[in-house]
Amino acid sequence: MPGTRVALQRLLLGRLRGSRELRPQLLPKRFALPTLSADPVSSVAYASQEMMLVLVLAGAGALALTTPSSGAVALLAVLVAVNYRGLILAYPNGGGAYQAAREGLGTGAGLVAASALLINYALVAAVSVAAAAAAIVSAVPELAGYRVALALVLLAAVTLAHLREVRRGGLVFMVATYLFCALLAVLVLTGLVRCGLGVGGCPAAPSAAVEPAAVEALTIVLLLRAFALGAVALAGLDSITNSVNSFRYPRRRNAALTLAMITALSATLFLGVSYLASATGVVPQPDGPRTVLAEVALALFGEGVGFYLVQAATVAVLLVAANMGYADFPRLASVLARDRWLPRQFLAHGDRLVFANGVLVLTGAAAVTLALFGASVTRLVTLYVVGVFGGFTLAQAGMARRALRRRDGSWQTPAVLNSVGAVLTLTVVATVVVTRLTAGAWLVLAAVGALTPLLWAVNRHYQDVAARLRRDLAEPPAPRPNHALILLDRVDEAAARSLSYIVSTQPASIRALGVPLPGADLEARWAALAPEVPLEVLQGAEERGTADALVSALHARARQHGPDEFTTAVIPETLSRSWWDQLREHRLALRLKGKLHQAGRVVVTDVTSPVGGPGPYTLEEPAEHHVVVLIAAVNAAALRALSYAETLHGSTVRVLSVSLSPDGSADLRDRWQDWGLRTPLEIIDSPFRSLSATVRAYARGFAPDGRHRIVTCVLPTYRVLHSWQMPLHNQSARLLRSALLFERGVVSTSVPYALDPTADDDAGPADSAAAPRDAHDPRLPHSP
């Protein structure tokens, strides 16, 4: 079964990529141009259409303004590209609008820009796959009723493509983008010859026979709306600024040159398609049977090979554009995580050298957006323009402020150009918000308004935690007494092995808490196994729920111990063969551990044992007990876990850190030596950045069997004050606990550290909401 899963992952996601392979993934210009131009170039597939959908509201005559309006958009694209060239030179390490707005306008403006960009990148994926679905429907009208399903399938395909190797993906992107550009160049040249020069006559589009009725007057407001929605053609120009680190050296020069080429290419194709749509008399329809580009291709090439090639190339380049959202969202999220505005999980590269957590978040956001808006390009573009041009406005305003503040060199030119660009892009945002507020523009404003304070809260929390961990690091904590309580509902091999483990650690006291199953004869069987260990049987647990009763009793006993003493809850569990077996057979144990870990008031120890016979059972202490403390930094939480490890009286005690990057261990080793701690520190590399696989392999090196030789992995965890803070901590510990449950002879122990020691011991995230009650399960709680 594991071999099948690994083979399937290899088939879908490609081979594992080592950390040392990261540098060769840098893009040469021949790959950077098609890869990064896919977003602005692919907007040709729908930008002209969105502009014409507004103009046609004033009647067929207003469509004659398509070409002039497109020219104005092209001029704006040139201005933004010039300003963004300066941004590339100023911020070669990436970050784009976020860095420019943050430095020029302040942290608040930078966070607004970052929020808008994150939302925008999710919309890149949604708009692109929706437009790709529309292109497929244009070629195969019978699929019109499956537009949403088709878009979701395409989104899944893009996700898998992005998770594969970057080099191989770059080749595919290059072919798709160059093919689309070549076909559109042929289309535009053919149209210019036939419609511009009159050679062979200019054909009429299939929809030219439609006579649209004017429903609005041709006013300045309507022209501004058309210009604003057509300006979606600029989408993607900012991707270069967030991808400077992806270029080969010299990075800034290559990135600036690529931006210039992308702007020229996309503006030329956009103007060509807009002209041909007007010349062939295309009458656009919202989410109609054919897109404007499909109408133009059908008019010039007929319903033959040329038409279907254009549609296929359009689908391909739109999927590449969607992939750019997958590249930019995780990259920007990693920059924000580096600055502690987002959870640190967004910093981690997956085992295929992509930011896997960012990819998963983006996929979920894009899928929800597609479903909510019915994969309608017109409805999604409204949201898209607000996010794109909000970022443009803040970035250019920040660059203008930067020039005014520094006043170095020819500072007047960038100050003026960026100021003008900021005013124009702000006009686009204001136009869409005012005229399309109820059509979805408000959602982007609400999302930015919700995400920005969330970024502030995450950063403030991380700063408070860092200050607390440094403050409590005055001196390593001394060893302290440990009181062990074993939680039972029956006596079997797992209970005997757990009690043997407890006895070998020599705690200050041992006590058992039990909720008997019907017919389990808990008290008699316990007396036969360990008559010297007191057992407290909880009565009336059925009314409160088994897990709730055990947790309440455990916390009551813990309060009887001193503040400088450890209380350990030991949960006997049987080994499961798979997660399916665990979820099917061990529900109570999952609830019990979940409540204890969430409350974070006591040490929680999982002792797993194979399923044994009917008894009788005996206590047998292991001959070897190796204790391994897993740390990622030298702080108060890590030293508290080390203090606990020393109370376990293991044969050996060592500290282990897993390095997920080639240069990530030097500072940790220096700090450990500065403290002069006598426990040896081992730092091992994880070339594929898999924490759980590396720790499991390390534990297996001791050859634990669960009876004569045991390995205890001690994990520092954090007890937070508010539920919203829980995703910010303990994710690595949760991953390790899950992985170690299936390892024979490996015990996992979570040692909590209270981030707010002033909080009432009876209050915490676990108590903020009522938990569902459990029913007795005869196979529980001896489960992983």
Side-chain angles (χ1 to χ4, degrees):
M1 190 70 176
T4 303
R5 183 175 65 252
V6 171
L8 182 61
Q9 289 177 341
R10 181 70 58 87
L11 175 66
L12 294 176
L13 304 179
R15 68 179 180 88
L16 300 178
R17 304 302 298 267
S19 297
R20 300 186 185 277
E21 297 183 67
L22 183 59
R23 184 180 177 85
Q25 303 302 310
L26 300 179
L27 296 173
K29 289 193 291 295
R30 68 180 184 276
F31 281 174
L33 177 62
T35 300
L36 299 176
S37 68
D39 192 4
V41 167
S42 69
S43 65
V44 173
Y46 52 84
S48 301
Q49 173 176 297
E50 297 308 314
M51 176 184 290
M52 296 175 72
L53 282 171
V54 177
L55 291 174
V56 78
L57 297 176
L63 292 175
L65 297 174
T66 299
T67 302
S69 299
S70 298
V73 171
L75 291 176
L76 179 60
V78 172
L79 177 60
V80 171
V82 170
N83 292 335
Y84 266 57
R85 180 183 180 276
L87 194 152
I88 289 172
L89 298 178
Y91 301 101
N93 293 324
Y98 160 62
Q99 296 287 14
R102 183 182 179 188
E103 181 177 320
L105 303 177
T107 301
L111 293 184
V112 172
S115 300
L117 285 172
L118 289 174
I119 294 167
N120 172 48
Y121 294 143
L123 290 172
V124 168
V127 171
S128 297
V129 297
I136 293 175
V137 170
S138 296
V140 188
E142 292 79 8
L143 296 176
Y146 304 96
R147 191 183 297 263
V148 175
L150 188 59
L152 292 176
V153 170
L154 293 174
L155 184 68
V158 172
T159 303
L160 290 177
H162 183 76
L163 291 175
R164 291 190 65 86
E165 300 175 39
V166 177
R167 184 183 299 274
R168 185 178 301 172
L171 180 61
V172 173
F173 301 159
M174 182 174 67
V175 172
T177 305
Y178 283 153
L179 177 63
F180 177 77
C181 292
L183 287 172
L184 252 65
V186 172
L187 179 69
V188 171
L189 289 174
T190 302
L192 289 176
V193 170
R194 298 186 63 180
C195 298
L197 300 178
V199 178
C202 186
S207 61
V210 178
E211 289 291 338
V215 295
E216 291 188 27
L218 185 60
T219 62
I220 295 296
V221 173
L222 187 137
L223 289 175
L224 282 175
R225 284 170 54 194
F227 172 81
L229 292 177
V232 73
L234 277 68
L237 292 182
D238 59 333
S239 62
I240 301 289
T241 65
N242 291 315
S243 306
V244 179
N245 286 335
S246 297
F247 284 85
R248 288 184 177 175
Y249 296 94
R251 286 176 172 171
R252 286 187 289 187
R253 189 184 70 183
N254 288 336
L257 181 59
T258 302
L259 175 62
M261 291 189 293
I262 286 174
T263 304
L265 179 62
S266 59
T268 300
L269 294 178
F270 171 61
L271 284 170
V273 172
S274 294
Y275 166 74
L276 293 178
S278 179
T280 58
V282 174
V283 178
Q285 302 175 48
D287 299 318
R290 292 191 187 94
T291 64
V292 165
L293 181 58
E295 289 268 342
V296 172
L298 191 59
L300 292 172
F301 291 157
E303 194 170 358
V305 175
F307 168 74
Y308 288 105
L309 278 177
V310 169
Q311 296 310 109
T314 301
V315 172
V317 78
L318 283 165
L319 295 183
V320 174
N323 186 77
M324 286 311 303
Y326 277 82
D328 290 335
F329 180 98
R331 189 178 293 118
L332 177 58
S334 72
V335 172
L336 292 170
R338 181 195 64 197
D339 294 341
R340 297 187 175 185
W341 298 105
L342 279 178
R344 287 186 290 266
Q345 291 89 331
F346 287 102
L347 276 172
H349 279 95
D351 51 18
R352 267 77 179 179
L353 286 181
V354 295
F355 296 107
N357 292 323
V359 169
L360 295 177
V361 171
L362 176 63
T363 301
V368 170
T369 303
L370 286 168
L372 288 177
F373 288 86
S376 168
V377 176
T378 298
R379 297 175 65 191
L380 290 170
V381 161
T382 297
L383 283 67
Y384 193 23
V385 169
V386 174
V388 169
F389 281 82
F392 285 160
T393 300
L394 290 169
Q396 292 176 111
M399 290 298 293
R401 181 70 179 276
R402 183 177 186 270
L404 291 171
R405 183 179 299 162
R406 295 197 171 196
R407 296 177 181 267
D408 52 354
S410 302
W411 62 271
Q412 296 92 341
T413 300
V416 171
L417 290 178
N418 279 285
S419 297
V420 172
V423 170
L424 292 177
T425 53
L426 179 61
T427 302
V428 171
V429 175
T431 300
V432 175
V433 168
V434 171
T435 61
R436 303 283 292 174
L437 183 66
T438 58
W442 70 271
L443 284 174
V444 178
L445 299 179
V448 171
L451 185 56
T452 302
L454 181 60
L455 297 179
W456 275 108
V458 169
N459 182 262
R460 185 167 56 249
H461 174 70
Y462 276 144
Q463 289 182 351
D464 292 343
V465 169
R468 170 70 200 283
L469 291 175
R470 288 193 300 267
R471 185 172 62 248
D472 288 355
L473 203 57
E475 60 182 23
R480 59 190 70 182
N482 176 34
H483 302 274
L485 292 94
I486 182 171
L487 309 182
L488 305 162
D489 66 351
R490 56 186 167 181
V491 175
D492 57 6
E493 181 71 20
R497 297 279 68 76
S498 297
L499 186 57
S500 298
Y501 171 82
I502 294 173
V503 172
S504 71
T505 64
Q506 303 176 33
S509 66
I510 305 176
R511 191 180 187 89
L513 295 176
V515 177
L517 294 171
D521 198 13
L522 180 62
E523 294 179 87
R525 292 172 67 87
W526 181 257
L529 175 66
E532 71 284 359
V533 177
L535 168 67
E536 179 181 353
V537 178
L538 305 180
Q539 303 298 332
E542 294 81 358
E543 290 74 18
R544 291 182 292 164
T546 303
D548 287 332
L550 286 169
V551 170
S552 297
L554 176 66
H555 288 157
R557 305 302 173 273
R559 284 191 290 270
Q560 298 174 2
H561 303 144
D564 294 329
E565 298 177 320
F566 288 113
T567 300
T568 301
V570 179
I571 303 175
E573 306 183 41
T574 54
L575 281 171
S576 295
R577 292 173 298 178
S578 66
W579 275 107
W580 171 248
D581 286 343
Q582 184 186 43
L583 295 173
R584 181 169 55 89
E585 299 178 357
H586 310 308
R587 295 183 297 274
L588 177 57
L590 288 172
R591 293 192 186 100
L592 184 61
K593 292 187 295 179
K595 292 175 184 294
L596 292 174
H597 286 306
Q598 190 176 16
R601 301 172 200 159
V602 299
V603 178
V604 180
T605 295
D606 299 327
V607 181
T608 57
S609 305
V611 177
Y617 309 108
T618 59
L619 299 182
E620 183 179 357
E621 297 184 36
E624 294 182 30
H625 180 198
H626 302 282
V627 181
V628 181
V629 184
L630 295 163
I631 68 168
V634 182
N635 55 35
L639 295 187
R640 175 178 167 84
L642 177 58
S643 174
Y644 177 83
E646 291 174 348
T647 71
L648 298 180
H649 298 89
S651 307
T652 63
V653 179
R654 65 195 71 199
V655 178
L656 175 68
S657 180
V658 178
S659 176
L660 300 181
S661 62
D663 55 351
S665 58
D667 180 66
L668 177 63
R669 190 181 299 278
D670 291 342
R671 293 201 65 192
W672 191 263
Q673 292 175 349
D674 291 343
W675 273 93
L677 298 168
R678 65 178 184 274
T679 308
L681 169 66
E682 294 183 48
I683 300 179
I684 58 176
D685 289 331
S686 179
F688 300 112
R689 300 158 307 284
S690 177
L691 178 63
S692 59
T694 304
V695 172
R696 290 171 68 181
Y698 183 86
R700 290 172 184 172
F702 294 97
D705 58 11
R707 183 179 295 271
H708 305 294
R709 189 180 297 110
I710 288 178
V711 175
T712 296
C713 291
V714 179
L715 312 175
T717 60
Y718 297 96
R719 176 188 173 188
V720 298
L721 184 60
H722 302 290
S723 297
W724 70 267
Q725 298 168 347
M726 295 180 67
L728 304 180
H729 301 285
N730 303 330
Q731 301 308 311
S732 296
R734 183 176 292 111
L735 178 67
L736 286 171
R737 286 197 302 264
S738 300
L740 296 176
L741 285 175
F742 301 98
E743 295 294 317
R744 181 187 294 269
V746 178
V747 175
S748 67
T749 295
S750 300
V751 182
Y753 173 85
L755 293 177
D756 186 358
T758 63
D760 182 4
D761 236 9
D762 290 331
D767 298 328
S768 60
R773 296 187 176 183
D774 344 274
H776 277 298
D777 187 326
R779 295 161 295 195
L780 305 176
H782 307 308
S783 54

